Structure formats: C-alpha cells, structure tokens
Amino acid sequence: MKVKIRPMTLDDVGTVVRLEQQIFIDAWSKESFLSEILQKDYSHPLILEVEDQLAGYAIVWRYYDELHIANFAIHPDFRQRGLGKLLMRHILQEFGDATFAFLEVRKSNTAAINLYQAFGFRIIQVRKNYYRDGEDALVMLKDLRNSNI
C-alpha cells in the first residue's frame, strides 16, 4: 500500500469538500479550505493519499508554540487501517517542536477520541452546544514537551 502525506493544493479542494460534506454535518465550506491553503503564515493543510486516492486530510494551525488541529478526517472507505494513526503521528512529528497541541472533537465521536487519547491527548474542557446541531465538543490537549510520539 503506497501511502503519502503532502501539502494540500488548490487542485485538491473540490475532492476535499465533497469528502468533508460526506463526513461532517457541519462541513467546512470550499472558501474555508481555499483560505487555509492561501494562509501560509500559520495554516498547514495536509492530504493523506493511498495509491494516489484521497484517504484523509488535516488542517493544522501553528501559532508560536501552540499547535491546533482544526480539522482531521479519514475517508470512510479507508478507516480501520491505521491511517488516522499515521496522519496523527506525522502531524505530531512534523510540528513536535511546539509546546502544546489542541483539538476539538464531538462528544459522541468515540473512535476519534480513542485515537487522540492513544496519542496522549486528554480532555481539558467541554464546550457546550459547540456544534450547529447542539452537540458538545470536548477540548483535548497534548503536552508535547518531553513527549513520545
């Protein structure tokens, strides 16, 4: 299985948006993804490909010593193959010189929560009614200082 992680390009946006709409109720817009690609100061959009097919993506924001994983998705056809772990490991290694990593996740998304906890993220806060449908978000934090990835 040929797997590659690379920067997201403008050519990827249409495919990413279709996948985003398939996965998330409160999907990011095409304009949001375009903005992330063009915002080179702090945004690092990534694509995960398997055999040249889009298998996942992530939007990573780097502010000084903080890392924020703003969007993280694996295509349903590619789940349960370790690709989420691969993408998360890549992010934490690539930006491991940061001090902390943050993310938000739906309270009901136990698969994602388990993945993040396996990498040492811990729940630090609940954001009530965070999502458009009223579901709470769990804010998770990983201390990257002296961290094993």
Side-chain angles (χ1 to χ4, degrees):
M1 179 168 66
K2 183 179 136 198
V3 178
K4 179 167 83 171
I5 298 172
R6 61 170 177 79
M8 187 182 295
T9 68
L10 294 174
D11 291 338
D12 296 314
V13 172
T15 307
V16 168
V17 169
R18 284 189 294 278
L19 180 56
E20 175 83 359
Q21 291 170 343
Q22 178 184 347
I23 294 174
F24 297 111
I25 296 167
D26 49 353
W28 285 26
S29 68
K30 178 180 181 179
E31 292 74 22
S32 294
F33 284 104
L34 290 171
S35 175
E36 295 300 328
I37 292 169
L38 298 173
Q39 177 50 263
K40 301 205 184 289
D41 289 342
Y42 63 86
S43 184
H44 305 276
L46 301 170
I47 292 288
L48 170 68
E49 291 179 330
V50 174
E51 305 295 338
D52 297 323
Q53 287 187 332
L54 176 71
Y57 56 89
I59 304 294
V60 181
W61 296 333
R62 172 67 189 266
Y63 299 105
Y64 304 103
D65 68 335
E66 288 184 13
L67 191 65
H68 188 100
I69 301 168
N71 197 327
F72 188 95
I74 301 296
H75 192 295
D77 294 344
F78 289 95
R79 291 182 182 160
Q80 302 299 314
R81 297 185 193 182
L83 295 171
K85 289 179 185 175
L86 185 82
L87 183 56
M88 182 59 72
R89 187 173 293 110
H90 175 85
I91 291 166
L92 296 176
Q93 287 174 341
E94 181 76 16
F95 303 98
D97 59 336
T99 303
F100 297 101
F102 295 90
L103 56 83
E104 292 92 13
V105 61
R106 282 182 174 272
K107 190 174 181 179
S108 64
N109 192 344
T110 54
I113 293 165
N114 290 338
L115 171 69
Y116 304 144
Q117 287 178 328
F119 277 92
F121 282 85
R122 60 186 175 82
I123 299 166
I124 61 165
Q125 181 183 3
V126 176
R127 290 195 176 145
K128 296 286 187 189
N129 303 312
Y130 182 77
Y131 295 100
R132 203 172 10 196
D133 63 357
E135 186 172 353
D136 297 343
L138 302 178
V139 179
M140 300 185 78
L141 166 74
K142 177 177 176 62
D143 187 336
L144 297 170
R145 297 171 293 184
N146 304 314
S147 174
N148 292 328
I149 298 171

